[in-house]
Amino acid sequence: MNRLPSLTGLRLPCAAAVFLVHAWLFTGAFADQRIADAALVLGPLGMTGVSCFFIISGFVLTWTARPDDTPARFWRRRAARIYPNHAVVWSATLVLLTLTGAAATGEPREGPVPALPALTNLFLVHTWIPTREHNAGVNIVTWSLAAEIFCYALLPLILPALRRLPVHRLATAAALALAAVWTVPLISLLFHGPPIAEAGNVPQWQFWISYMLPAARLPEFLLGALAALWLRAGHRPPLGIPAAGAATLGCLATGAALLPFPFLPAAVTAAPLTLLVLAAAAADLDGRPTRLRHPALVHLGERSFAIYLVHWPVILTVNQLLPAEGRPLPAALAVTALHAACTLAAAWLLHRTVEVPCYRHLATAPHHPGTRTRPGAPHDGHPTGVPHHPRPADRVHPPRTPQIPLPEHDGGRPRRHRGPA
C-alpha cells in the first residue's frame, strides 16, 4: 500500500488537466471555433494542476523527512527520481525533433535543433533564461522540473528552520508564504515586452516571471511544507475534500474573470489548493474513505511523473503521423483518445523499465564494508527498506495517528514493490 493514497490519487486529475491543455489548446484540435473557445477554460485549470504538484511535493517531502537525514542523501534520492526519466525522454524527444524537423512546440523548424537550449533543457536550468527558445527547450513540460530541482536544492537547508518554529507560528509562516505567492504576479506586472501567443498574448516577461521562473514557485512548495508540519502538530483543516475542491474552482473562475493573467498560475488558487492537500492527507490519517483513494486513481497517480514527462512528446509524435489540425469534434475526440492511450503505454514502459529500477540502484549510496548500521535504522530510500520515521525532536510533534503508507513519488522512501513494477 501507499501512505496517504489520496494525495497520490490527487496527482492524476492534475496531470489530466495538463494533458488536455496540450492535446486540445496547443495543437488547435477543434475545427469548430465555438468548441475551441469553450476549451480555452482548460488553460487556467492546467496551470492550477501544476501548482497543486508543487504544493504536494513540499508537503510530502516534509512529511517523510527524517531528522537524521543529510542534504547529500536527500539530493541523491531526488536526482535518482528525476534525472533517469528525464534523460531518457529528453533523448527520445531530441531524436523525434531531429527526424521530423519540428520545433519543441510542434511548429515547423528551420535548421537543426538549437544546441544551447537543448543542453540547458537536459540539465534543467533552461527556465532561468527568459527567452522562449530556452524555455521551450526540447521537452517543453520540463520547465516545472527545473523549478522542482530548485526547491529540492533548498529544502534540506530550510527545513531545519521550519521545524524549529513553534506550532502557533506555523500559520503566520504560511500567511507569509501565501503573501509571497501574491507578490510574484504584482512584480511581474512591472515588466512588458513582446507577447507570447501560447499564453493569450501575455507579455513574455510577465509569463516567465509568474509561471516559469523557478524562484517564483518556491512559495507554493513552502506552503506544502508548512501544511505538513501543521498537520503533524495535530491540527485538522476546516474544509473537507469536496468543499476545498469547490473553493479552488470558484477562486479560479473568479480570478480568470477579474484579474490579469499573472495571478492565475498560482496566486488565486494557492490557499484553497493547500486546504485541498490538507483535507486529502487528513482524511487518510483519520481513516476516512475518499474517492481519491480509488485503486485506479492511486495506480495511475503513482505513474503521474512518467505520464507528465511523456505526454507532450507522444502528442507531437501522433500529430506528425496524423498531421491534420482543426478536426471535427468526433475526430478530435478520437485523436485525443489515441493521445491518451499512447501516453499511458509509454508512461507504463518508462515507469517499469527506467524509473523504478534506476531509483532502486541509484537512490542509496553504496554500502562500504565495516560500516555499521543499527538495527531498525532507515535504509535511506531503498525500495525494499523497512519504513522507519523517528519521532522528530523539535517543537512540532506528530500526533498518534494510524501508520498509512506515503505517496511514492516525493517521499524519501518508495513503497515496497512486488516485482519490478
Side-chain angles (χ1 to χ4, degrees), residues 393-406:
D394 52 38
R395 302 190 195 184
V396 181
H397 299 296
R400 294 181 180 273
T401 51
Q403 294 299 307
I404 303 173
L406 294 163

Side-chain angles (χ1 to χ4, degrees), residues 154-362:
L154 294 181
L155 183 63
L157 311 178
I158 296 173
L159 188 55
L162 297 182
R163 282 174 163 164
R164 288 193 295 269
L165 288 174
V167 173
H168 67 278
R169 297 291 187 190
L170 291 175
T172 302
L176 292 175
L178 184 60
V181 174
W182 279 85
T183 301
V184 168
L186 289 173
I187 293 174
S188 75
L189 291 177
L190 301 176
F191 294 84
H192 303 280
I196 178 169
E198 291 86 346
N201 294 318
V202 176
Q204 168 67 25
W205 277 87
Q206 291 184 17
F207 181 81
W208 176 69
I209 292 172
S210 63
Y211 191 56
M212 287 190 163
L213 177 63
R217 309 315 295 248
L218 180 62
E220 296 156 82
F221 188 86
L222 293 179
L223 274 175
L226 291 164
L229 295 174
W230 187 78
L231 194 66
R232 273 201 182 279
H235 297 290
R236 289 297 182 267
L239 300 179
I241 294 175
T248 300
L249 295 177
C251 289
L252 183 61
T254 303
L258 300 178
L259 294 173
F261 170 86
F263 292 91
L264 302 184
V268 297
T269 55
L273 277 180
T274 303
L275 291 176
L276 177 61
V277 170
L278 277 170
D284 285 341
L285 289 174
D286 296 339
R288 290 180 277 114
T290 73
R291 295 184 183 276
L292 294 173
R293 294 175 66 176
H294 190 282
L297 283 179
V298 175
H299 176 80
L300 292 173
E302 290 170 353
R303 290 148 181 79
S304 60
F305 177 47
I307 291 172
Y308 181 81
L309 272 183
V310 304
H311 80 273
W312 179 247
V314 166
I315 290 172
L316 285 182
T317 303
V318 172
N319 284 352
Q320 288 295 321
L321 298 174
L322 303 172
E325 293 186 357
R327 302 176 179 92
L329 180 60
L333 294 180
V335 172
T336 302
L338 180 61
H339 288 155
C342 293
T343 294
L344 292 177
W348 176 85
L349 185 64
L350 183 68
H351 178 79
R352 184 181 181 89
T353 63
V354 177
E355 184 174 347
V356 171
C358 285
Y359 188 83
R360 179 178 293 128
H361 293 296
L362 299 176

